[in-house]
Amino acid sequence: MKLKTHKSKKLWNYSLKHLAGGVNSPVRAFNAVGGTPIFIKAAKGARLSDVDGNSYLDYVTSWGVMIHGHADRDIQAALCAALTKGTSYGAPTEAEAVLAEMIKKALPSIEKLRFVSSGTEAVMSAIRLARGYTGRDKIVKFTGCYHGHADSLLVKAGSGAATFGAPSSPGVPAAFARNTVSLEYNDIEGFLKFMKRSGGEVACVIVEPIAANMGLVLPRPGFLKALRKACSASGSVLIFDEVITGFRVGFGGAQGLYGIKPDLTTLGKIIGGGLPVGAYGGSEKIMKNLSPAGKVYQAGTLSGNPLAMAAGCAAIRKLSKPGVYKKLEASGAAMEKGLRRIMVKSGLPLTLNRVGSLFTLFFSKGPLENWTGAAACDTRRYAEYFWAMAERGVYLPPSQFETCFISTAHTAADIAATLEAAEGALSGK
Ligand code: KE4
């Protein structure tokens, strides 16, 4: 049935008058799927309600933040308690160190950490720290991985890929981009060849250990190990950007899942329980170079904000309970089993990648192992699928190059309803 969108349309015109591009983050403008962005009024558990009264099963979950579902009772209670004591002091509080200790216990590669207010800020600071620690300027990233909007990372593979990066956005100085090399994700040989030649100039290699910003793309066996070995050999800092995978694919993140110890880790999303938080941390040897102990400067008015710390502690505490990841895996496996049946029945060129509660249905025959593969997807077909699912009460990421997230609030009945919607959406019924 056609979605009622009258109020969303009205609010979209209002927002376009006051907000740049009508949104506070580009993907929300629905450019990749067309149509009017859906304005959300409220959310509870696995469901979103929009301003026109439509209800959806939510697989964006605020881009992976809401692993416990929306308006979680325990997180809300922690926030209400913190709220009575004020909202921001700009001074140390106990809660910051408590949350830091919880994160360290989950991710033993982190001996010291620093909270900031977004994933971008965490990555930007980690890169500066790696450059300050090594005294080198060059950094290596992988095409299709997204690490936030810091200048050093808005860089696409330049001509000849493994030479200079080129800005992927106006405003990023070419001189800046030249210090970033973007290689192909999962291309072990290409990476080793580059590091053999230039590893001594590389301050850090930053990677999404499981890539979730080209749609979900898993590391090939040996890929992460090759990064670890080459960084150790060249004295480059290995940074795992776990803003998405941290506390998502397991309590120990992707580094726990794959048993690879990075030198620095960046975090965000889940650790803030729905409030703005980022974090970066690693070995004492590196972290002691950060101001005020060391000379690498980084600061932030709302870093370690009491409300965000309270929400983050509640969110991580809930994840430490037995059975949480077993439930997420069971939901993910049920989703995968159902989608694979529907994919065969549809006869369409489709590929499904999944790990735990993360999955992406690609409109391409695949396999999907890097950006080259992802870029070949039929994004027009994805856009049709997005709207067909929205009309059936399922809210997917408004881009083929994002990942779906299942929360602990999604029930078996929700998964079944989603599969029924997908069967209809893919068969046009
Ligand atoms: P934020 O600055 O958006 O908190 O985090 C940046 C970031 C860093 N690293 C990874 C691996 C990320 O996925 C992100 C941000 N993720 C996107 C969604 N894929 C945020 C959504 C948006 O940009 O609106």
Side-chain angles (χ1 to χ4, degrees), residues 217-237:
V217 172
L218 277 67
R220 272 196 195 124
F223 176 60
L224 298 176
K225 202 166 170 204
L227 269 58
R228 176 63 281 168
K229 201 162 166 246
C231 284
S232 302
S234 62
S236 308
V237 173

Side-chain angles (χ1 to χ4, degrees), residues 74-75 78-79 82-83 86-89 91-103 113-118 268-280 302-317:
D74 299 320
I75 295 174
L79 272 174
L83 209 47
T87 54
S88 178
Y89 319 126
T93 64
E94 181 184 4
E96 297 164 83
V98 169
L99 182 55
E101 188 181 18
M102 288 166 83
I103 292 172
L113 97 93
R114 168 75 53 92
F115 289 112
V116 289
S117 297
S118 72
K269 297 185 194 274
I270 290 173
I271 65 165
L275 273 76
V277 179
Y280 62 109
L302 289 167
S303 298
N305 170 268
L307 297 188
M309 296 296 103
C313 284
I316 304 293
R317 213 168 273 127

Side-chain angles (χ1 to χ4, degrees), residues 198-267:
S198 312
E201 302 164 56
V202 173
C204 62
V205 174
I206 184 165
V207 69
E208 286 183 64
I210 299 169
N213 283 289
M214 40 181 146
L216 188 73
V217 172
L218 277 67
R220 272 196 195 124
F223 176 60
L224 298 176
K225 202 166 170 204
L227 269 58
R228 176 63 281 168
K229 201 162 166 246
C231 284
S232 302
S234 62
S236 308
V237 173
L238 176 59
I239 302 176
F240 270 15
D241 179 351
E242 297 222 43
V243 167
I244 283 187
T245 55
F247 295 96
R248 166 59 64 177
V249 296
F251 199 62
Q255 55 195 270
L257 192 64
Y258 294 110
I260 303 276
K261 187 179 175 194
D263 301 305
L264 290 178
T265 300
T266 54
L267 296 164

Side-chain angles (χ1 to χ4, degrees), residues 25 45 49 52 65 74 85 94 97 129 136 159 176 191 215 223 268 287 340 342 362 373 380:
S25 200
S49 314
D52 288 290
V65 171
D74 299 320
K85 300 174 197 148
E94 181 184 4
L129 176 60
R136 302 174 184 174
S159 56
F176 218 99
F191 169 74
F223 176 60
M287 295 300 287
R340 290 202 183 284
I342 294 165
F362 291 94
R380 192 188 45 73

